[in-house]
Amino acid sequence: MEDLLRIMRLLRSPEGCPWDREQDHKSIRSNFLEETHEALEAIEREDAELLREELGDVLMQVVFHACIEEERDSFTFDDVVDGVSRKLVVRHPHVFGEVQADDTAQVLKNWDAIKRETKGGKTQADLLRSLPRSLPALMRAAKVQTRAKRVGFDWPELSGAMASLESELAELKEAVAAGAPAAVEEELGDLLFSVVNVSRFLQADAEQALTGATDKFIRRFTEVERLAEQQGMDMPAASLEELDRLWDQAKAAEKGR
């Protein structure tokens, strides 16, 4: 760890790298996000060697940001480590203290209460607002719903969530028929929020489900393109009926495999 810190300090020094010296928090924030996504991709692939490498890249981003603040005499990497260590102890009183927590539900309830107290929140709504808006929308929606559920604000069973989904779809159709763009966007958002709600009841991750659906579309589109070329068809000039026929073929072939 000390080697990594020394390397980063050197890169940021007058004798170091011009690019590294020029960076600030905002200029490299997209790099942080990219490296995190690459680590998630390694997890998805179940590739331990790749994960080791990508976690190193994520750690480098943490060190980079910490060194920027160290130069400003704000805080150091040691302060970052100390802070998260203390936070883990405080938020696990059932491990490091005398609080009883026999299951995950009780652990999460305690966690929320401690988090609300330590972050200065006075209400459950404060806890919802504390979720960063920069999170992927589906993930943020799921987290908001999960936190609301912990205080009993949730449908008692799947049927309620499904009925809400159907209601939101009907309202979207009405907005589309009325030709009201603002209302369409609002109702579309409500529909997506309801879809996430249903996914929670089905214990399915909405983000992963959509990623899987997108991957499936790409696979089938690739097959449609191959079939079109095989049949001497120009896709841009083809009719919707012709493309739909190729789509059905690609879909049947994938299901057959």
Side-chain angles (χ1 to χ4, degrees):
M1 194 65 238
E2 286 301 321
D3 287 344
L4 178 56
L5 286 165
R6 279 194 292 268
I7 291 170
M8 183 55 67
R9 288 165 183 152
L10 174 59
L11 291 174
R12 294 275 298 174
S13 73
E15 296 77 28
C17 170
W19 184 89
D20 287 284
R21 276 200 311 272
E22 292 173 0
Q23 304 313 307
D24 57 24
H25 291 307
K26 290 186 177 180
S27 69
I28 58 172
R29 62 182 176 182
S30 61
N31 301 54
F32 206 153
L33 185 60
E34 181 180 348
E35 298 297 356
T36 302
H37 279 295
E38 289 180 1
L40 294 177
E41 180 69 14
I43 292 173
E44 186 68 23
R45 294 184 186 181
E46 299 184 354
D47 187 331
E49 183 61 25
L50 181 60
L51 179 59
R52 178 196 60 76
E53 177 184 347
E54 299 302 344
L55 287 176
D57 291 341
V58 172
L59 178 59
M60 187 272 289
Q61 291 295 318
V62 174
V63 168
F64 205 149
H65 286 279
C67 283
I68 291 173
E69 288 302 314
E70 182 180 69
E71 294 161 10
R72 300 172 180 175
D73 292 324
S74 176
F75 62 78
T76 68
F77 180 77
D78 286 348
D79 295 325
V80 173
V81 174
D82 182 67
V84 73
S85 297
R86 290 174 182 274
K87 182 188 295 184
L88 285 172
V89 172
V90 169
R91 293 190 182 176
H92 289 82
H94 53 290
V95 177
F96 301 102
E98 303 300 323
V99 173
Q100 187 71 22
D102 298 322
D103 53 35
T104 300
Q106 186 61 50
V107 169
L108 294 175
K109 184 177 180 180
N110 292 341
W111 180 282
D112 283 345
I114 295 168
K115 188 171 184 179
R116 190 167 66 250
E117 181 181 343
T118 56
K119 286 187 174 289
K122 296 180 180 180
T123 68
Q124 293 296 332
D126 289 334
L127 200 57
L128 303 187
R129 281 191 290 267
S130 70
L131 287 164
R133 297 184 79 251
S134 58
L135 281 174
L138 294 178
M139 181 186 298
R140 181 167 174 250
K143 286 182 175 292
V144 164
Q145 293 172 8
T146 298
R147 291 188 178 185
K149 177 183 178 180
R150 291 175 193 164
V151 292
F153 195 82
D154 198 12
W155 296 107
E157 54 188 26
L158 174 62
S159 60
M162 291 294 290
S164 177
L165 177 61
E166 293 169 1
S167 174
E168 295 299 348
L169 177 58
E171 290 179 13
L172 175 60
K173 290 179 179 178
E174 290 176 8
V176 171
V184 167
E185 182 173 334
E186 180 181 347
E187 297 302 341
L188 180 60
D190 291 344
L191 179 62
L192 291 171
F193 195 80
S194 293
V195 169
V196 173
N197 209 14
V198 169
S199 75
R200 278 194 312 107
F201 276 92
L202 297 176
Q203 297 184 337
D205 186 297
E207 197 79 33
Q208 289 185 18
L210 182 56
T211 296
T214 303
D215 289 341
K216 181 169 62 177
F217 178 86
I218 293 171
R219 287 196 309 271
R220 291 179 179 176
F221 183 89
T222 302
E223 179 64 9
V224 166
E225 194 172 41
R226 188 191 69 79
L227 290 170
E229 183 178 359
Q230 185 183 70
Q231 298 175 25
M233 184 186 299
D234 180 20
M235 282 186 66
S239 68
L240 181 58
E241 289 75 14
E242 289 174 316
L243 293 176
D244 195 42
R245 175 177 57 81
L246 294 183
W247 179 267
D248 287 340
Q249 291 179 25
K251 186 175 179 179
E254 184 176 63
K255 288 189 174 181
R257 287 193 295 271

